[in-house]
Amino acid sequence: MSDRYIDFANSSLGHRLVGALGLPSPVRLERWQAGRLRPVEGALLIGGGPLAARVNAFANRLTDAIYRYGDEPAGAAEWIPGAGPKLKAVVFDASDLQRTDQLKRLREFFQPLMKSLDRCAHLVILGRAPESLDDPFAASAQRALEGFSRSLAKELRSGGTLQLIYVGDGAEDQLEGPLRFFLSPKSAFVSGQVIRLQACDTQVSDWTRPLAGRKALVTGAARGIGASIAETLARDGADVILLDVPPAKADLEALAARLGGRAVTLDICAGDAAAQLTEQLPEGLDILVHNAGITRDKTLANMTPDFWDAVLAVNLNAPQTLTQALLDSGALHDHARIILLASISGIAGNRGQTNYAVSKAGLIGLAQAWATTLQARGISINAVAPGFIETQMTAHIPFGLREAGRRMSSLGQGGLPQDVAEAVAWLAQPGTGAFTGQALRVCGQSVLGA
């Protein structure tokens, strides 16, 4: 659905008017386009501690324009405030900040950059997980990075984003994958997030087709976010299997034919759904995306048992049951990737959605609980929590609520199905075994639960 306010705010007249009135002026976000070759199209600035040199070692695969601000990394051209180019991407390694007085380096590094950021710039701060540090003062300094990163993300303008990545011991070799995602338009609607990387023994061999040779199943794939996920996985080289309910058969088969995939019609809540699904997957799976979901909104005072039971059955019980069956049968290969579509409603709650929020919070809990057990087989499991996404469902929300959902984020707009799909495709990559048991919000840094 078209966002008419953004259209107006980015027109010549609208830009002047919203500026004069002090109204929000969100920009149209840059998103990944077919034919693009590099994650960063513009200047990349790298600075800070020892991890800066690790990033510099592969930076030429991200962009041709690499700069440093400070002494590190050696070999990069020096960026001079006020004289250097506009910055499209920034990486600052704060992993060596161990005392309160060292935190001033955050201000010293970022303050001169703020007026030199290009449109839709992407920033990343690197650190070390506080819980991994024995020194309480060092742990305090690293935990302080979360407050800084989330606050600075809310100060960025013109579509800018910022993330904090805590790099575990042995995960230094896994930085390229996350930076390719978070420094590129693929993460256009992701901001203010804190993620943790750990050691992983698998890597992407071909960044142009990172999912080549991998077989993926997407539930609820006939339309909307599910269809976008299937398209994006296929774009990245996966062999896709699309699953949806029998009434969606026509749309499902048309999409499968276009993507060169296979359509499976199945009611995932049926008593024999697990057996039917396992039978449909003789070659097994490398990627499992639980996208199917429904809403039946009512305040708890008016919630019927049917509304409660239906949402829990589709959104939570089916993913639990089907995933367990695929694990037990061996249909999920070693080093598989499991992605659960949750929601910020499962993090922050939402009036009139107790049933929906229960189901989505349960999915986040499932990812957290299963992560350690599945690591023995190299399998990762994560949740993606979308915020306000422009879909047919949100198009029917009353105007006032729809506008509030769009504007109540740092980016001042709703996301697109592509934004969720890009996050899922990244989590499906071989190297993202370094990221497991976590919930990645795709919400434009929504004020809900922030």
Side-chain angles (χ1 to χ4, degrees), residues 95 97-100 103 128-146 166 196:
S95 65
L97 305 186
Q98 299 185 355
R99 294 293 183 272
T100 299
L103 292 171
R128 298 290 187 182
E131 63 271 16
S132 70
L133 303 175
D134 295 329
D135 181 344
F137 291 175
S140 173
Q142 289 296 298
R143 179 60 177 80
L145 299 179
E146 295 192 29
Y166 284 130
R196 285 164 165 77

Side-chain angles (χ1 to χ4, degrees), residues 333-355:
H333 298 156
D334 289 350
H335 305 290
R337 303 288 174 254
I338 304 170
I339 301 103
L340 311 168
L341 264 291
S343 168
I344 62 167
S345 291
I347 297 172
N350 200 15
R351 185 182 186 277
Q353 287 195 320
T354 51
N355 52 356

Side-chain angles (χ1 to χ4, degrees), residues 191-403:
S191 192
Q193 299 303 290
V194 179
I195 71 170
R196 285 164 165 77
L197 294 184
Q198 56 192 18
C200 174
D201 59 3
T202 56
Q203 297 274 8
V204 171
S205 57
D206 179 2
W207 288 110
T208 62
R209 288 172 58 82
L211 303 180
R214 297 176 72 79
K215 192 173 292 293
L217 172 70
V218 182
T219 69
R223 59 184 68 86
I225 291 174
S228 187
I229 291 171
E231 291 170 346
T232 306
L233 295 179
R235 178 203 68 188
D236 285 354
D239 179 10
V240 291
I241 301 168
L242 288 67
L243 185 151
D244 216 313
V245 293
K249 182 178 181 180
D251 289 340
L252 192 70
E253 290 183 342
L255 180 59
R258 180 162 64 83
L259 300 180
R262 180 161 62 93
V264 174
T265 54
L266 176 67
D267 177 359
I268 59 174
C269 295
D272 62 345
Q276 287 190 59
L277 181 59
T278 303
E279 185 178 339
Q280 291 279 351
L281 303 171
E283 298 176 359
L285 287 176
D286 303 294
I287 301 164
L288 173 60
V289 183
H290 283 295
N291 167 74
I294 63 172
T295 58
R296 297 290 186 271
D297 296 352
K298 289 285 184 182
T299 59
L300 189 61
N302 299 310
M303 180 73 66
T304 66
D306 288 348
F307 273 25
W308 181 277
D309 293 344
V311 169
L312 270 292
V314 175
N315 295 5
L316 183 57
N317 188 65
Q320 291 174 336
T321 302
L322 297 181
T323 303
Q324 186 67 68
L326 293 173
L327 288 167
D328 292 344
S329 68
L332 269 175
H333 298 156
D334 289 350
H335 305 290
R337 303 288 174 254
I338 304 170
I339 301 103
L340 311 168
L341 264 291
S343 168
I344 62 167
S345 291
I347 297 172
N350 200 15
R351 185 182 186 277
Q353 287 195 320
T354 51
N355 52 356
Y356 186 75
V358 162
S359 69
K360 296 304 184 178
L363 290 178
I364 295 171
L366 187 65
Q368 294 170 335
W370 241 335
T372 302
T373 302
L374 296 179
Q375 273 188 294
R377 292 180 53 192
I379 297 174
S380 69
I381 179 169
N382 293 288
V384 171
F388 187 95
I389 305 296
E390 303 281 358
T391 63
Q392 291 181 353
M393 182 178 70
T394 56
H396 292 93
I397 294 175
F399 175 80
L401 292 176
R402 185 168 66 245
E403 284 302 300

Side-chain angles (χ1 to χ4, degrees), residues 412-437:
Q413 59 197 281
L416 300 180
Q418 178 188 351
D419 298 321
V420 181
E422 296 287 10
V424 171
W426 172 59
L427 291 172
Q429 291 179 5
T432 46
F435 182 94
T436 191

Side-chain angles (χ1 to χ4, degrees), residues 84-134:
K86 289 282 188 177
L87 299 172
K88 198 68 175 178
V90 177
V91 177
F92 179 70
D93 174 25
S95 65
D96 60 343
L97 305 186
Q98 299 185 355
R99 294 293 183 272
T100 299
D101 63 338
Q102 294 177 322
L103 292 171
K104 66 182 180 182
R105 286 167 50 191
L106 295 167
R107 179 187 59 80
E108 292 169 348
F109 181 86
F110 283 100
Q111 190 176 60
L113 314 181
M114 299 309 294
K115 295 182 179 180
S116 296
L117 296 177
D118 205 345
R119 184 176 179 275
C120 295
H122 300 289
L123 288 64
V124 170
I125 297 173
L126 304 177
R128 298 290 187 182
E131 63 271 16
S132 70
L133 303 175
D134 295 329

